[in-house]
Amino acid sequence: MTDGDKNTTLSSTSDILVDLQVETSSRSQKIQKFVPFVVLAVITAHFAWATQYFIVETDDVLRHTCCDGYGFLMILYIFIAFGYSYAYLIKPYMLGPVSRCLWEPFVEKIAKIFGARYVYAVIHLIILGVILAFLIYDCWDEPERLIPLAGLAILLIVSFAFSVHRKQIKWHTIIWGMILQFVFGLFTLRWETGRRIFACVGDKVTTFLGYAKEGSAFVYGDKLVHEYHIFAFEAISTIYFLAFIINILYHVGIMQRVVANFGMFLRAIMGTSVCESVNSAANIFLGQTEAPLLLKPYLINLTGSEIHSVMTGGFASVSGTVLAAYISYGANAAHLITASVMAAPAGLVFSKLLFPEIEEPETFEDNVALVESEFSSVLDAASQGASQATQIVLGILANLIAFVATVYFINGVLGWFGGLVGFTAEDELWTIELIVGYIFTPVSFVLGVPWPECTKVGQLIGLKMMVNEFAAFSKFKEMDLTPKSQVIATFAICGFANPGSVGIMISTLSALIPQKSHLITRHVFRAYFAGTIVCFATACIAGMLSA
């Protein structure tokens, strides 16, 4: 066989292999399109089976099984069915025509009659007036519950005073963000059904995270985990399990879809850009280092205001991977989840109040797609998630040891100085908790904390701002607070706005977008300030709506 024949044969073989690869890829894509519907069919079949069993074989009442039993399964099925309908029917085929045929003509007619500028102003005033009237009526017999309303007004005024471009503030974003925050709070804190739903969700989260204890007990032994309840072996080990699950959800695309849909909801209501809206939604579930990764290719195109929003969202919320640690300190799971949800719109509100958009964003809904998974399989995603959690665990433990030791060192020095001037009694010793408690007592008061407990909650706020939220929650566990103060304190300290997180934020974003490092370092402390205010704002809402 000549060299020419060999080359021809090799070329033909190569062409055949390419065709096979294309055919295999096309077949794989077709199969992947059918997988979601096969899963839905299986879920539907099980739901029908469970429905038949519930009606025929049991005597349970539906409302008594809404958190555990057939009722809970029905709620899950409704959510899943709606998700499928929205993704494959409503969004691609119905949403656009409905908007063009009904909503847009309606807005145009109203705008012609009244003028768009005045119409939206009137709508905003009506909604705010209804909310204010409800609060006055609801607090008529307890006027002290309106104190957090004054606190919220103070936070807005302070943020406006420190704004870098006051004339560029989009008040539509601010007003609708506050409305969303209030609606979320009303649904979860005052509406009995909403409270039950989030209490049920909180119980399920606690139960779910509790399964990690079995894995931890297998490795470390039952005594360390179940009997002695050692923090490093019981609560912190849960992070491995949660990182394992999150990576699986990320690989199969569920996490991206949930985050994208909630982000688009925030964008539609508040008018913020795609990237900052999706990042705020991601911060409900992910931490300040993980959330920006969902939009990694587009970070380089973000404006200064969008980068500020990304950082604010990271400081204003907490990661789902650390919820177990806070719960182990006595925090209510439902309150932690509520605080994370409320922080999403609130983060955009105070970010855009302190640093309004003055540039033209380059990322839009039609040119942004969430990053796909880089893992080769579900097993690869799961194992890497558990391995990557090691860095998180070591970081938490190292920070706890270092910061708590620093607090004790400072307390030793302060106690020595105080002792030299006569403050030697145990309840008179100078400590950092005592000092920051007095400093933040006025803040606690405007959040709605009863005056006798303001100093205690002030200590928690001070520890969270000066050390970290772990130190604050560990102190929270030792305090004897009333239920209302516990709720307000949980909201006020549920965020990553602390000195250590500033360094983490700078290093993470600078590694992702080194070209924007000058903007990151310039605005990081403003974002830290905004994230702190967001926690106070959600605490104000909780203070107003907590009975």
Side-chain angles (χ1 to χ4, degrees):
M1 183 180 289
T2 63
D3 292 341
D5 293 336
K6 290 181 179 179
N7 291 335
T8 302
T9 303
L10 289 174
S11 177
S12 300
T13 304
S14 177
D15 291 340
I16 292 172
L17 290 174
V18 170
D19 291 339
L20 284 173
Q21 289 177 349
V22 171
E23 183 179 351
T24 303
S25 176
S26 176
R27 188 180 303 167
S28 176
Q29 290 177 357
K30 291 179 180 178
I31 293 173
Q32 288 179 359
K33 289 181 179 179
F34 284 102
V35 168
F37 297 100
V38 173
V39 173
L40 179 62
V42 172
I43 294 173
T44 302
H46 177 268
F47 177 69
W49 188 5
T51 302
Q52 185 270 338
Y53 179 81
F54 177 78
I55 295 173
V56 177
E57 303 292 339
T58 68
D59 297 325
D60 293 336
V61 180
L62 182 62
R63 66 175 181 272
H64 294 160
T65 63
C66 287
C67 190
D68 187 15
Y70 175 77
F72 187 69
L73 175 65
M74 177 185 286
I75 293 171
L76 287 178
Y77 181 76
I78 290 172
F79 273 104
I80 293 171
F82 176 78
Y84 270 84
S85 301
Y86 180 80
Y88 296 103
L89 180 63
I90 297 175
K91 186 176 181 179
Y93 300 112
M94 298 175 62
L95 208 59
V98 168
S99 177
R100 288 192 297 270
C101 297
L102 298 178
W103 176 248
E104 291 178 6
F106 172 75
V107 172
E108 289 177 1
K109 289 180 180 179
I110 296 296
K112 288 180 180 178
I113 297 173
F114 300 100
R117 180 179 179 182
Y118 298 104
V119 166
Y120 286 114
V122 170
I123 291 174
H124 292 159
L125 287 175
I126 291 174
I127 294 175
L128 292 176
V130 169
I131 292 174
L132 184 61
F134 168 80
L135 289 173
I136 293 174
Y137 172 79
D138 190 56
C139 302
W140 189 261
D141 296 328
E142 300 175 275
E144 65 275 6
R145 282 176 48 204
L146 287 175
I147 293 175
L149 183 61
L152 192 60
I154 291 171
L155 294 176
L156 291 169
I157 292 171
V158 169
S159 300
F160 177 78
F162 285 94
S163 177
V164 290
H165 305 289
R166 297 188 188 92
K167 294 182 179 180
Q168 303 298 325
I169 294 174
K170 295 181 179 179
W171 291 104
H172 170 86
T173 297
I174 309 304
I175 293 172
W176 276 105
M178 297 306 300
I179 291 172
L180 277 180
Q181 203 180 358
F182 178 80
V183 170
F184 288 154
L186 189 66
F187 177 81
T188 57
L189 295 172
R190 288 309 306 273
W191 189 34
E192 182 65 25
T193 302
R195 282 207 305 269
R196 289 178 180 176
I197 290 173
F198 267 71
C200 177
V201 171
D203 291 340
K204 296 302 180 187
V205 169
T206 303
T207 302
F208 172 73
L209 296 177
Y211 292 130
K213 293 182 182 179
E214 302 307 321
S216 183
F218 177 80
V219 175
Y220 301 118
D222 288 334
K223 282 194 173 182
L224 292 176
V225 177
H226 294 304
E227 187 175 338
Y228 298 139
H229 302 287
I230 296 177
F231 179 76
F233 301 131
E234 181 186 25
I236 290 296
S237 295
T238 308
I239 294 174
Y240 292 109
F241 176 53
L242 198 54
F244 181 93
I245 297 298
I246 286 177
N247 263 30
I248 292 176
L249 296 177
Y250 176 73
H251 177 72
V252 300
I254 294 176
M255 181 67 72
Q256 292 95 315
R257 288 187 179 91
V258 172
V259 166
N261 288 328
F262 193 80
M264 291 304 121
F265 169 75
L266 290 178
R267 168 173 166 73
I269 298 295
M270 300 181 62
T272 47
S273 72
V274 174
C275 285
E276 59 194 359
S277 300
V278 171
N279 181 81
S280 292
N283 279 127
I284 298 174
F285 312 97
L286 305 175
Q288 58 184 346
T289 58
E290 299 95 344
L293 294 176
L294 290 178
L295 294 162
K296 185 178 178 180
Y298 312 102
L299 294 178
I300 186 62
N301 298 319
L302 297 188
T303 64
S305 179
E306 288 177 311
I307 291 175
H308 181 263
S309 292
V310 169
M311 293 191 291
T312 299
F315 288 132
S317 58
V318 295
S319 169
T321 53
V322 298
L323 287 183
Y326 303 153
I327 294 170
S328 71
Y329 283 135
N332 184 289
H335 294 157
L336 292 172
I337 296 169
T338 303
S340 294
V341 173
M342 289 174 63
L348 292 172
V349 166
F350 288 97
S351 173
K352 292 306 175 185
L353 196 54
L354 282 161
F355 193 166
E357 185 65 80
I358 58 172
E359 305 173 64
E360 187 65 33
E362 299 180 25
T363 52
F364 304 95
E365 189 172 354
D366 56 353
N367 66 359
V368 169
L370 294 179
V371 175
E372 296 293 331
S373 171
E374 298 177 354
F375 304 113
S376 59
S377 65
V378 171
L379 185 60
D380 179 44
S383 60
Q384 288 200 39
S387 300
Q388 292 165 0
T390 301
Q391 184 177 358
I392 300 174
V393 169
L394 293 177
I396 291 173
L397 293 176
N399 277 283
L400 275 176
I401 293 170
F403 280 113
V404 171
T406 302
V407 169
Y408 275 92
F409 165 70
I410 295 173
N411 285 346
V413 174
L414 291 173
W416 180 71
F417 278 113
L420 294 177
V421 291
F423 290 91
T424 56
E426 186 175 350
D427 58 343
E428 295 179 347
L429 288 177
W430 289 3
T431 62
I432 189 172
E433 295 98 323
L434 183 67
I435 294 172
V436 299
Y438 284 120
I439 292 174
F440 289 100
T441 292
V443 175
S444 302
F445 180 71
V446 298
L447 297 183
V449 177
W451 181 253
E453 296 181 316
C454 283
T455 301
K456 291 182 179 180
V457 176
Q459 291 178 11
L460 299 178
I461 293 172
L463 281 175
K464 182 254 183 180
M465 291 183 62
M466 300 177 64
V467 184
N468 58 35
E469 73 285 350
F470 283 100
F473 274 112
S474 65
K475 189 72 175 177
F476 175 86
K477 186 177 182 178
E478 302 171 2
M479 290 185 176
D480 183 20
L481 299 172
T482 60
K484 181 175 181 177
S485 295
Q486 288 179 355
V487 173
I488 296 172
T490 300
F491 279 74
I493 63 178
C494 186
F496 282 144
N498 60 67
S501 292
V502 171
I504 294 172
M505 184 68 75
I506 292 174
S507 59
T508 300
L509 287 184
S510 295
L512 291 173
I513 40 175
Q515 303 89 336
K516 303 275 187 174
S517 59
H518 62 290
L519 291 176
I520 296 167
T521 54
R522 183 188 306 168
H523 301 303
V524 69
F525 285 103
R526 182 179 295 276
Y528 165 80
F529 178 64
T532 301
I533 289 182
V534 168
C535 295
F536 292 162
T538 57
C540 283
I541 301 292
M544 281 187 286
L545 298 177
S546 296

